[in-house]
Amino acid sequence: GIEAEYPPERRDLVSFRPNDAADLAAKLNELIALTPDERAAVGAAARRAVVERWSWGYVAALLLSRDG
């Protein structure tokens, strides 16, 4: 999943428990508390995950691979 792109020590920040505002708040507070370099690393990891899984190029290749 997406968490595989994140630094191992930050993989718990990928998601929060559904309907759990306290868990979401805790994750957001943890993100806010990161140093600028740590936030940049998490942001870069999130971008890699999104581009890899949902970019137009990936989606197009996936659709074309099913058309045969």
Side-chain angles (χ1 to χ4, degrees):
I2 293 171
E3 63 277 350
E5 293 292 331
Y6 277 58
E9 67 279 7
R10 302 289 180 230
R11 289 183 180 157
D12 64 316
L13 298 176
V14 172
S15 63
F16 59 94
R17 291 185 297 273
N19 302 313
D20 189 338
D23 187 40
L24 173 58
K27 300 287 174 77
L28 290 173
N29 284 326
E30 191 173 340
L31 281 167
I32 291 167
L34 295 175
T35 67
D37 287 343
E38 291 171 318
R39 277 195 306 274
V42 169
R47 177 161 172 61
R48 277 192 309 274
V50 168
V51 168
E52 190 173 296
R53 290 164 179 81
W54 296 295
S55 69
W56 284 113
Y58 175 79
V59 171
L62 183 64
L63 291 172
L64 291 172
S65 72
R66 293 181 179 176
D67 187 43

